[in-house]
Amino acid sequence: MDSRWDGLRAEVRAALDDLVTSGREAGVQVAAYLDGAPIVEEQAGLADTATGRPMTADTPVHAVSTGKGLTATVVHVLAEQGRLDEDLPLARVWPEFARHGKDGITLRHVLTHTAGLPALPADVTPADFTDWSRMCDLLADATPLWAPGERLAYHAWTWGWLLGEVVRRVTGRPVSQVLAEEVAGPLGVTRELFLGVPDAELPRLARLEDAGLSALMTWAGAHLPHFDAVAPPAVRPDTTTGSDPDVLRADVPSVGTMSARAVARMYAALLGPVDGVRLISAERLRAVSAPAVRAQEWVFRQESTFGLGYAVDDDGSFGTAGSGGSLAFAYPELGLTVAAVRNRLGAGDGDPMERLRALVRDRVAETLSGAQTGP
């Protein structure tokens, strides 16, 4: 790796060591790419505290909604190939979906969480999640809560099947297979970037631990009026759901499993070439990373901004983050991508993964700025 970033790597390594030795974290990975090349790849701690198995750079970690970035990327890669279009009505390739006035819902509405279909039946279970046809039938028969584009509501679970079924109808392949063949394969990370996790890879996954996430989900169910509509009690995004081998094996494309270095590499290939692989054009990059909707969001009641499948932040980045503390973001203006994953899923802990993202972003911005203004 480029020696210019030795100091940054040492700073990240020290931060990770402190998190692990203090007992705040079990295992952590942080990775960053700049202009298509890795500049940070650090990890510390244990992938499994019960067995003492170490966290290595290639250990996959279930990273909850950070996986939405994988599914969004599949959609944009297919769009780049001319096989999909953001303004495609879902019912054009999925005729059953047109029921109950849903014929006007487009991929753009789904990508921006404005499709009006954030809710699931209250009695849905993890077993339902493992049945692709059942979940798609539920959504095909659902009645929208409002007209498409009318309101921003985080489609916590439904988002994945809505996009994934369109991908399946267009390609004839499950979305996890498309990810493997069109994204992970060309980038050389097929064993580190998953939607559905193959059986043979399950023993390699980090073992999740709860450090406050479950309590936060319980609080949200009690205090946010619409939370249980989008994440019913039996399928809240927590360590229980994220550790269920049947759910991990299944395609549940609102969540994903990954190493930090693999997802940082994927975002880097959205920005530009990585070892000769570029996933989308510069023109499409500008379109997918630009703010598409900004409004008060229905579930969490916070002002939120989304591009086409990714959150867009005020610092110029786009990407996704997951419950309990995982993230992957790209900074087009800097040519930078940053990812961080952890297996001790926390809440109310000061968000150490976000602090690590800010550390890498700020050091890179400072260095690049100094290089531009130097003699």
Side-chain angles (χ1 to χ4, degrees):
M1 290 189 190
D2 190 333
S3 61
R4 286 183 304 160
W5 306 106
D6 287 349
L8 172 60
R9 287 190 286 273
E11 200 170 353
V12 171
R13 194 175 312 122
L16 296 189
D17 288 343
D18 180 63
L19 287 168
V20 170
T21 57
S22 69
R24 292 190 62 187
E25 299 292 343
V28 188
Q29 300 171 356
V30 177
Y33 270 65
L34 183 66
D35 297 331
I39 61 168
V40 174
E41 184 182 293
E42 298 293 337
Q43 55 280 325
L46 300 177
D48 187 337
T49 56
T51 65
R53 176 163 54 96
M55 180 71 81
T56 58
D58 65 347
T59 301
V61 183
H62 186 68
V64 199
S65 281
T66 302
K68 286 184 172 69
L70 280 55
T71 301
T73 298
V74 166
V75 169
H76 295 309
V77 167
L78 292 175
E80 185 71 27
Q81 296 171 358
R83 306 182 70 179
L84 282 179
D85 182 271
E86 288 84 358
D87 294 313
L88 172 77
L90 274 65
R92 187 173 297 170
V93 296
W94 182 3
E96 310 94 305
F97 185 77
R99 297 175 201 148
H100 309 300
K102 297 197 299 298
D103 52 304
I105 295 176
T106 67
L107 273 182
R108 186 180 301 273
H109 291 129
V110 180
L111 288 165
T112 58
H113 297 268
T114 60
L117 292 168
L120 284 173
D123 60 353
V124 73
T125 68
D128 293 322
F129 276 19
T130 68
D131 186 336
W132 183 267
S133 294
R134 170 165 172 70
M135 296 311 300
C136 292
D137 288 346
L138 280 173
L139 289 168
D141 201 42
T143 300
L145 298 182
W146 46 78
E150 184 177 302
R151 183 173 293 178
L152 174 63
Y154 189 58
H155 289 45
W157 289 116
T158 59
W159 190 91
W161 292 293
L162 292 170
L163 294 177
E165 180 64 0
V166 171
V167 169
R168 190 186 72 82
R169 297 271 177 148
V170 168
T171 67
R173 294 173 286 166
V175 64
S176 58
Q177 184 180 347
V178 180
L179 175 77
E181 294 175 354
E182 308 284 351
V183 178
L187 290 171
V189 290
T190 52
R191 300 192 69 205
E192 299 178 42
L193 201 64
F194 304 111
L195 291 169
V197 181
D199 267 339
E201 304 294 348
L202 287 174
R204 298 179 50 239
L205 269 56
R207 188 173 69 87
L208 300 182
E209 300 179 3
D210 182 72
L213 180 59
S214 180
L216 176 63
M217 295 291 118
T218 301
W219 181 92
H223 292 87
L224 298 176
H226 307 304
F227 183 80
D228 280 353
V230 304
V235 290
R236 286 173 174 162
D238 56 19
T239 55
T240 301
T241 305
S243 299
D244 185 328
D246 292 331
V247 174
L248 287 165
R249 287 188 198 99
D251 262 343
V252 185
S254 278
V255 296
T257 301
M258 65 206 72
S259 69
R261 70 179 186 182
V263 70
R265 186 173 177 85
M266 182 197 79
Y267 275 95
L270 291 173
L271 298 187
V274 176
D275 293 334
V277 176
R278 181 166 192 170
L279 296 175
I280 60 175
S281 67
E283 181 181 9
R284 189 170 301 278
L285 170 65
R286 286 191 292 272
V288 305
S289 61
V293 58
R294 182 176 179 87
Q296 185 178 57
E297 192 274 328
W298 184 69
V299 181
F300 298 101
R301 298 182 169 184
Q302 296 177 339
E303 190 86 357
S304 300
T305 305
F306 284 95
L308 296 180
Y310 312 97
V312 177
D313 277 6
D314 292 339
D315 65 358
S317 65
F318 71 95
T320 48
S323 299
S326 62
L327 56 87
F329 281 86
Y331 295 83
E333 294 301 316
L334 295 174
L336 172 70
T337 68
V338 185
V341 296
R342 67 203 291 206
N343 59 343
R344 182 168 287 167
L345 304 191
D349 57 357
D351 205 345
M353 300 303 102
E354 178 60 33
R355 292 204 308 275
L356 286 162
R357 167 166 82 122
L359 167 65
V360 175
R361 176 200 66 206
D362 292 348
R363 294 295 181 269
V364 169
E366 290 163 5
T367 301
L368 295 181
S369 175
Q372 291 169 359
T373 60

